[in-house]
């Protein structure tokens, strides 16, 4: 039964991944990516990696992909240029996909690929915590790669902020230091005006 579910979820995952890069509507592409994340989480559940499956659904599907979907829908992308040149560049895309698949096959090799080399996970007891086990392996065996990945992400965040905050003539810029130093008298100005003379009903009728 587990093998049937694995092949079923794998087929849906591969089909949704292909649809992400082949559909012409960006909203459909985001929805197919959400489907790919859901099927990946289901495969991780079969591998008894419940923590990773829940994090994938809550973080990526529940937050990141919803944000992507809102951004794509609000950008109002012109779909006509996206449909142009799809058939023309399709052979190049297929060639790149074949080369990428061949590289993955060479790196993994036949000794690390297939159900015979990768057996089913061992069933653990009910009190087994894969979250604790993941944390133990992450901060012992993979501590240095984890720190390097965190450093790379920090550099990427700093670079993104630097590119966003650069001065451009066509954008408005606010100086937070000047905004903090603003006093009440700089914002509000009291204007004293003379009261208007009320016109009585007699004067209005005589006029």
């Amino acid at each position: 039964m587990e093998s049937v579910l694995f092949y079923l979820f794998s087929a849906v995952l591969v089909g949704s991944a292909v649809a992400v890069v082949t559909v012409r509507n960006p909203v459909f592409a985001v929805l197919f990516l959400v489907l790919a994340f859901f099927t990946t989480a289901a495969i991780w559940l079969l591998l008894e990696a419940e923590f990773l499956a829940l994090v994938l659904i809550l973080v990526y599907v529940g937050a990141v992909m919803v944000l992507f979907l809102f951004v794509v829908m609000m950008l109002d992308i012109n779909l006509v240029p996206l449909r142009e040149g799809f058939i023309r560049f399709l052979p190049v895309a297929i060639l790149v996909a074949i080369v990428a698949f061949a590289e993955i096959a060479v790196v993994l090799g036949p000794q690390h690929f297939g159900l015979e080399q990768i057996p089913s996970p061992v069933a653990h007891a009910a009190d087994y915590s894969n979250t604790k086990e993941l944390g133990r392996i992450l901060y012992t065996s993979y501590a240095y790669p984890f720190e390097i990945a965190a450093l790379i992400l920090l550099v990427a965040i700093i670079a993104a902020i630097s590119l966003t905050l650069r001065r451009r003539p066509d954008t408005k810029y606010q100086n937070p230091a000047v905004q903090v130093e603003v006093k009440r008298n700089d914002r509000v100005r009291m204007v004293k005006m003379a009261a208007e003379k009320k016109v009585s009903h007699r004067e209005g009728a005589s006029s």
Side-chain angles (χ1 to χ4, degrees):
M1 185 63 184
E2 292 183 0
S3 299
V4 175
L5 292 176
F6 173 76
Y7 284 114
L8 176 62
F9 289 133
S10 300
V12 176
L13 175 59
V14 173
S16 58
V18 173
V20 169
V21 297
T22 54
V23 294
R24 300 179 180 180
N25 194 327
V27 177
F28 291 161
V30 174
L31 294 178
F32 276 116
L33 188 56
V34 171
L35 179 60
F37 284 153
F38 269 110
T39 52
T40 304
I43 294 176
W44 282 353
L45 286 176
L46 293 177
L47 297 175
E48 297 186 2
E50 296 86 0
F51 176 75
L52 295 178
L54 292 176
V55 167
L56 181 62
I57 293 177
L58 294 178
V59 176
Y60 282 90
V61 178
V64 178
M65 296 313 303
V66 173
L67 180 62
F68 283 179
L69 185 60
F70 285 165
V71 170
V72 169
M73 295 178 66
M74 288 187 296
L75 285 179
D76 193 16
I77 301 175
N78 188 9
L79 300 179
V80 176
L82 297 178
R83 296 189 179 97
E84 296 177 354
F86 179 79
I87 303 298
R88 183 177 57 185
F89 295 108
L90 184 60
V92 180
I94 295 175
L95 179 61
V96 172
I98 293 174
V99 172
F101 182 79
E103 291 178 353
I104 294 174
V106 170
V107 170
L108 293 178
Q111 67 275 12
H112 301 292
F113 188 74
L115 296 178
E116 294 79 9
Q117 287 76 15
I118 305 177
S120 301
V122 180
H124 297 283
D127 58 348
Y128 176 78
S129 176
N130 56 15
T131 306
K132 180 179 179 180
E133 187 68 20
L134 179 64
R136 184 187 66 82
I137 296 177
L138 186 63
Y139 291 104
T140 54
S141 302
Y142 297 96
Y144 290 115
F146 181 74
E147 295 295 334
I148 293 174
L151 182 62
I152 293 174
L153 290 176
L154 178 62
V155 172
I157 293 174
I158 295 175
I161 295 175
S162 302
L163 293 175
T164 305
L165 293 180
R166 69 179 187 271
R167 290 293 187 92
R168 289 178 295 182
D170 56 342
T171 58
K172 296 181 179 180
Y173 176 77
Q174 295 180 352
N175 191 350
V178 176
Q179 292 180 337
V180 173
E181 294 176 356
V182 170
K183 301 298 188 294
R184 180 178 63 87
N185 296 330
D186 299 332
R187 295 283 186 174
V188 181
R189 184 177 62 178
M190 302 297 295
V191 178
K192 186 175 181 181
M193 300 177 62
E196 296 182 358
K197 182 180 179 181
K198 294 184 179 180
V199 181
S200 62
H201 296 286
R202 290 184 179 180
E203 291 178 358
S206 62
S207 60

